Amino acid sequence: MADPRRLPHGEDGGPATGPGYLQHHFESLVQQKDASSLGMWLFLVTEILFFGGLFLVYTIYRWSYPLAFADASRHMDVRLGTTNTAVLIISSLTMAMAVHSAAAGRRRLIIPFLAATMLLGTTFLGIKAIEYTEHIRHHLFPGPWFHYPGPQIHARPAELFFSLYFAMTGLHALHMVIGLGILSVLVVQSRRGRYTGQWHTPIEMSGLYWHFVDIVWIFLFPLLYLIGRHVH
Amino acid sequence: MAAEFIPEAEPLHPRDNYLNVRYGVGSWLLTRDHKRIALLYLASITFFFFLGGLFALLIRLELLTPGGDLVQSETYNKLFTMHGVVMIFFFLIPSIPAVLGNFLIPMMIGAKDLAFPRLNLLSWYIYIVGAAFTMWAVVHGGVDTGWTFYTPLSTAAANGHVVATAVGIFITGFSSILTGLNFIVTIHTMRAPGLTWFRLPLFVWSHYATSLIMVLGTPVIAVTLLMVGVERIFHLGLFDPALGGDPVLFQHLFWFYSHPAVYIMILPAMGVISEVVTTFSRKNIFGYRFVAFASVAIAVLGFLVWGHHMFVSGQSVYAGMIFSLLSFLVAIPSAIKVFNWTATMYRGSISWRTPMLYAFGFIGLFTIGGLTGLFLATLGVDVHVHDTYFIVAHFHYIMVGGAIMGYLGGMHYWWPKISGKMYPEGWARFAALIVFIGFNLTFFPQFVLGYLGMPRRYHAYPPEFQVLNVMSTAGASVLGVGYVIPMIYFAWSMRYGKNAPANPWRSTGLEWQTTSPPPTENFPVPPVVTSEPYVYATESEVVG
């Protein structure tokens, strides 16, 4: 390792020349990569705890009102939910392919896979918007306009269910929007040829984020859409 | 620790350290240097410290007389709410970690910077944006829910700016998360060659434990405040009893963060005390591994005791018993630290410098605060003194007597390194004495008041409590003077103070092995560590 003080400092925070992507305060690429990975995983831990609060509230209320939650869950459109689940899983595949292409040095493939991921993500949000519109049209958004079409004995806990539905899927959708923003930055940077087989940390880290957001949906889908299927 | 290259007390050349390497507002506001970011934090939290202090002063003035004469009860409610919000979220939580931790951790581990310098700067900006929201709420009439935001008061009843304040705290939480994340990654990946985990200074251990709490706890308060916010704005009924929701669930979520948050405030101060006690006793720390693991144990146990805030909230008695037991357990690692500091001082060569005075203050006051915490963790006693001034006194002994004493001790200890100047020792000792006297005069009477049954959060009280309240208000004035004096002489020393040598305390810490103030890259040559920390004296020197 050369004397690190002689590496360009990159005062703008970005890579300078030489083994450019090595920032001035790291001694080696391995150290820099370790720091990024650990940082990203820690960030995902904070995200788990962030969503965890809502999952906890869901768990407690579902435990308190199992029948009402099952009944309210029947007002979900399972076909749209299933479609969206499939869309997201496929988007995880294309994201993984983008990371793989970057790692293998096939730079031409990065942008198509990123674009496919973004298209699928946008599709998910579109379908979600259709679902939201339907719920609001049927007075299922909590608050003064809420009107429960099912048995009135379940009406108040059902409003809790829909509060949780909108809070959890809304927070998830917000993460999707942020993810799409990150991916568009990656596309721009890929067009500039920033990423190489040797250094493509941002793509890899964004991939972790994207998979995390998918996994959250994998839990949300059964908890919100499918629990009514078993209760008669 | 190994010292390889120290030229002692060389003259300062122009543009050779982090303070004078570049000038201008832009060089500060866009800096990536952890040391400059630490100073940005220092300026901001000092502002909030005095703002929160102003609220405290108004509270104490109102309580000078039994009647409600200075402010109305509504104003009073807002005052204690804003005092709590500002002091906890905008001063105490960032205080030692964001200022001293930010400044010192890379230097203590022999690194050039934190792992993510841009994230570090971002965390300060996030803090400022969050502070702006909360300040907006203050200026536009404040909020009166108490800093705890209990539902359904906060969601359905309170008329103040709950959402703006909650958004401010929510945003500031991310600055805390980023700081914690940055510390953990830095400590894991950027230690100098030879610096193994058990050679780390205890300050770093305590910040590692603090960072764990920041990273694991803060997201929970964030999502909890988010739920309060959407409940207020969109009428989602997450904690609404009218829908079958459970307001006590809010308390569980709130205290899941806010109890560990107490350890975010006290653990870094414990780190400071470990450094100060060894340096000014000129002895190796007694039981290094015990002190190090005690920090981690406090962080872990801290997550398991939140229910002791809810003994009278309708929580099941059995849950209360478990939480009571777990709360007692926190006393074990805390006591280990106190005993080990004391054992470190035993037969040490103690010098009565200002940082050491604060360390003495910390150890005594923290012990009182901790032991009264055991009273409160006891179910029966807690039912008696719950929501009285007893608990106010208890947590101020921890947060002011502990955390702020630690912060001030640390600021004096590292001031020569931070500023390159010596503070005036005589004035500093005098101020430390004033702080200690003022603190005890303010808060000890509150133990008595609480035990006699004076409830907290009321602006009026029966006349028989007046004598003790007058003592407390008088103490608060003395304490205020004690806080203003260091402000003045720190500022004075920046211009008129003596130039500080690289290592004025003859400390063994790695941060003292570079110049004062350090260069931007911290060390002229990346250091290599070849020995344990705190190698102050051989056995013969101690005995002889």
Side-chain angles (χ1 to χ4, degrees), chain B residues 68-86:
Chain B
D69 22 38
L70 180 67
V71 292
Q72 300 293 311
S73 56
E74 269 177 59
T75 316
Y76 185 80
N77 292 349
K78 287 176 178 171
L79 282 175
F80 70 67
T81 302
M82 299 317 297
H83 169 69
V85 166
V86 166

Side-chain angles (χ1 to χ4, degrees), chain A residues 3-5 9-14 23-27 31-32 34-40 42-54 56-58 60-61 64-65 141-144 155-160 162-167 171, chain B residues 22 30 32 111-118 170 174 177-178 180-181 184-185 188-191 212 214-220 222-223 226-227 230 234-247 249 252-253 256 520-521 523-526:
Chain A
D3 182 354
R5 280 175 303 157
H9 281 201
E11 270 304 325
D12 60 347
Q23 288 179 290
H24 79 284
H25 57 294
F26 289 113
E27 299 289 329
Q31 188 191 34
Q32 177 170 293
D34 284 352
S36 301
S37 301
L38 181 59
M40 192 64 205
L42 270 174
F43 173 72
L44 294 184
V45 169
T46 70
E47 285 277 31
I48 290 172
L49 281 147
F50 192 65
F51 278 99
L54 279 165
L56 176 80
V57 173
Y58 173 93
I60 286 169
Y61 289 159
S64 306
Y65 310 106
F141 190 84
R156 293 192 306 166
E159 197 173 341
L160 269 187
F162 278 99
S163 294
L164 280 163
Y165 166 77
F166 279 103
L171 193 63
Chain B
R22 234 173 257 107
L30 298 175
R32 312 275 153 64
K112 294 195 190 77
D113 208 321
L114 289 174
F116 307 116
R118 274 184 294 176
F170 175 86
F174 287 96
I177 290 173
L178 291 182
L181 189 149
I184 294 178
V185 173
H188 269 279
T189 60
M190 304 193 61
R191 283 169 286 126
L212 286 178
M214 286 172 157
V215 166
L216 296 177
T218 318
V220 178
V223 78
L226 192 70
M227 287 189 253
V230 294
F234 299 116
H235 304 287
L236 301 187
L238 293 166
F239 301 115
D240 185 358
L243 302 181
D246 185 357
L249 181 57
H252 279 288
L253 286 164
F256 180 82
T520 303
E521 304 266 307
F523 298 94
V525 180

